[in-house]
Amino acid sequence: MKNCLAIDVAKSKSMVTLVSSSGEVLIDPYEINHSINDFSSLLNRIKKLKLDNISVIMESTGVYHRPIERFFLENHFKVFVINPIYGKMQKRNLRKTKTDKEDCFNLVNLFFTNTFKEYIKPEQLYLDLNALSRQYFALDELCVNIIVLV
């Protein structure tokens, strides 16, 4: 049986829930801070359930999801980081009200219906080239400003 740990990521805290493929809520949605203590506490709750085949799903949030992603990857979970557009398309609420608990269940639904594509992580080389490109353009603009002043 598959199990899904859905995490609705925010800046310094997240909402988490664990649901089985049969729809049973194993861990009710609750809020955790982005700290090693809260991550470890969540991991202990999961281990007490003695489950296997647990996948983690979360939306890409720039940099806010990265510590959570890293923690679960280091603890040997299958982690899916998805584009937030998929979550937005999955909204079950017609009134456009946003709740973090509802977003967690939307992520669970996305996972079990498999209606998402995993976010493509940029390779380190690409990130390095991107940083060098920014430096090049900054230096180029600085040179132009110096030439104009002279």
Side-chain angles (χ1 to χ4, degrees):
M1 178 184 304
K2 286 185 173 182
N3 299 289
C4 175
L5 178 68
I7 305 175
D8 182 42
V9 181
K11 184 175 182 177
S12 60
K13 58 186 177 180
S14 296
M15 185 70 66
V16 298
T17 189
L18 181 63
V19 180
S20 71
S21 58
S22 64
E24 180 184 2
V25 178
L26 303 169
I27 296 178
D28 288 321
Y30 76 101
E31 196 170 82
I32 62 169
N33 291 314
H34 293 182
S35 68
I36 193 68
N37 291 337
D38 283 7
F39 293 157
S40 298
S41 172
L42 174 60
L43 184 61
N44 290 334
R45 284 185 73 176
I46 293 169
K47 285 182 178 179
K48 285 180 184 176
L49 296 171
K50 296 181 182 172
L51 301 170
D52 55 343
N53 201 6
I54 300 174
S55 298
V56 179
I57 187 168
M58 67 186 83
E59 293 178 345
S60 172
T61 56
V63 296
Y64 302 135
H65 74 278
R66 290 198 177 157
I68 304 165
E69 178 186 22
R70 180 178 178 187
F71 177 82
F72 284 103
L73 285 173
E74 287 175 353
N75 285 286
H76 312 293
F77 284 83
K78 175 68 176 155
V79 178
F80 295 95
V81 179
I82 64 168
N83 191 318
I85 292 173
Y86 288 112
K88 194 169 195 148
M89 291 183 333
Q90 186 65 31
K91 288 273 189 208
R92 293 185 286 184
N93 190 341
L94 296 175
R95 295 184 183 193
K96 296 184 182 179
T97 56
K98 181 186 180 324
T99 68
D100 294 335
K101 290 179 183 180
E102 185 72 23
D103 289 346
C104 278
F105 288 115
N106 286 337
L107 287 170
V108 168
N109 192 32
L110 271 172
F111 177 77
F112 287 124
T113 58
N114 204 18
T115 54
F116 67 92
K117 292 181 184 171
E118 192 171 357
Y119 187 74
I120 300 170
K121 297 176 184 91
E123 297 295 325
Q124 189 60 42
L125 177 63
Y126 172 78
L127 294 173
D128 292 343
L129 287 173
N130 206 358
L132 288 171
S133 177
R134 281 193 216 105
Q135 283 182 319
Y136 173 80
F137 286 116
L139 289 171
D140 188 48
E141 188 170 315
L142 184 63
C143 287
V144 169
N145 289 340
I146 291 173
I147 291 171
V148 170
L149 290 175
V150 174

